[in-house]
Amino acid sequence: MTILLALLAAIPLATQGFNVEISAGGEECFTETISRGEKVIGSYSVSSGGTLEIDLRVYDSSGKTLYENLGYSDDSYVFVANKDGLYKFCFSNLKSTLTAKTVSFNILVGTSLVDHEVAKKEHLDPLENSILLLGESLQFVVHEQQYLITRERISRETNSSTNSRVFWWNMLQNLAVLGIGAFQIFHIRQFLDKKSGVSRRGGL
């Protein structure tokens, strides 16, 4: 029963969601204290700013690079912490000299039970093992759901922005056509008035 309660307690994740604006040529780093054996699930999406590309690097407590993804607008990653300490998540916009980038990202940290004396593999019966697997599956589902919600929001904002630009571009084209048409009508009337005047004088 003790093992079962420990397994159930291990299912929830500590979830942190952030939105940050990274200036042109800038870099923003975030830290999280993580214990050895904890599973970390993360995702990010660039919601605005030029080509929507960003660089992400994740470092462990010793400064070793655990994850690197350069020049992409979104991605997700999973790793199990190999040591205790402060882990660093760095978004870099150094390649952009003009445009700031807005990044939405999530970091989910959960206990992996790998080193827990209370729940070593030989202590788990089939039911408890199934609960552990269920907990890991729930973690993955929660993460993917958050990731898809973020992607959907960004896609909706992009579509809205595109539709707005198309609308105003069409308005500008219509105004240009109306302006050219009015100018042509005015020019033709001027020409006909002058020609009519010349004809009257010629008849006199």
Side-chain angles (χ1 to χ4, degrees):
M1 184 65 177
T2 304
I3 297 174
L4 182 60
L5 290 174
L7 287 168
L8 290 172
I11 290 176
L13 287 169
T15 306
Q16 296 198 46
F18 303 91
N19 285 291
V20 60
E21 183 174 294
I22 304 172
S23 61
E27 184 178 58
E28 293 284 346
C29 292
F30 302 84
T31 57
E32 180 74 20
T33 301
I34 301 172
S35 300
R36 180 175 180 268
E38 285 188 325
K39 179 180 286 187
V40 180
I41 305 174
S43 65
Y44 70 93
S45 294
V46 183
S47 56
S48 66
T51 57
L52 302 182
E53 295 177 356
I54 202 79
D55 296 340
L56 171 63
R57 294 179 178 87
V58 180
Y59 305 95
D60 67 12
S61 56
S62 65
K64 178 184 176 182
T65 302
L66 296 178
Y67 172 83
E68 183 178 70
N69 197 28
L70 309 179
Y72 287 87
S73 61
D74 58 79
D75 198 15
S76 59
Y77 54 90
V78 179
F79 65 88
V80 176
N82 55 7
K83 58 184 69 177
D84 297 338
L86 209 60
Y87 285 65
K88 190 159 64 169
F89 304 78
C90 293
F91 291 94
S92 172
N93 194 24
L94 296 175
K95 294 177 184 177
S96 176
T97 56
L98 299 174
T99 310
K101 305 287 175 67
T102 301
V103 181
S104 301
F105 66 100
N106 294 296
I107 300 172
L108 295 84
V109 180
T111 303
S112 169
L113 295 188
V114 172
D115 296 323
H116 284 215
E117 290 295 329
V118 70
K120 285 187 175 179
K121 256 187 178 178
E122 59 267 26
H123 298 154
L124 300 179
D125 63 27
L127 175 60
E128 291 160 346
N129 190 53
S130 297
I131 292 173
L132 180 58
L133 293 174
L134 176 62
E136 292 182 350
S137 298
L138 287 174
Q139 293 172 4
F140 180 76
V141 169
V142 168
H143 166 260
E144 287 299 308
Q145 187 177 36
Q146 291 178 334
Y147 179 65
L148 290 173
I149 288 172
T150 302
R151 288 291 304 274
E152 182 185 7
R153 177 179 58 79
I154 292 171
S155 177
R156 188 168 57 249
E157 290 174 354
T158 301
N159 289 337
S160 177
S161 176
T162 301
N163 290 338
S164 178
R165 286 197 295 268
V166 169
F167 171 78
W168 288 112
W169 174 247
N170 285 335
M171 286 291 293
L172 182 61
Q173 285 183 316
N174 291 334
L175 289 173
V177 169
L178 290 173
I180 292 170
F183 173 77
Q184 288 178 332
I185 291 171
F186 175 77
H187 184 71
I188 292 171
R189 288 188 63 179
Q190 288 257 18
F191 175 75
L192 292 175
D193 288 345
K194 287 180 182 178
K195 189 173 181 182
S196 177
V198 170
S199 298
R200 285 197 297 272
R201 285 197 298 270
L204 293 173

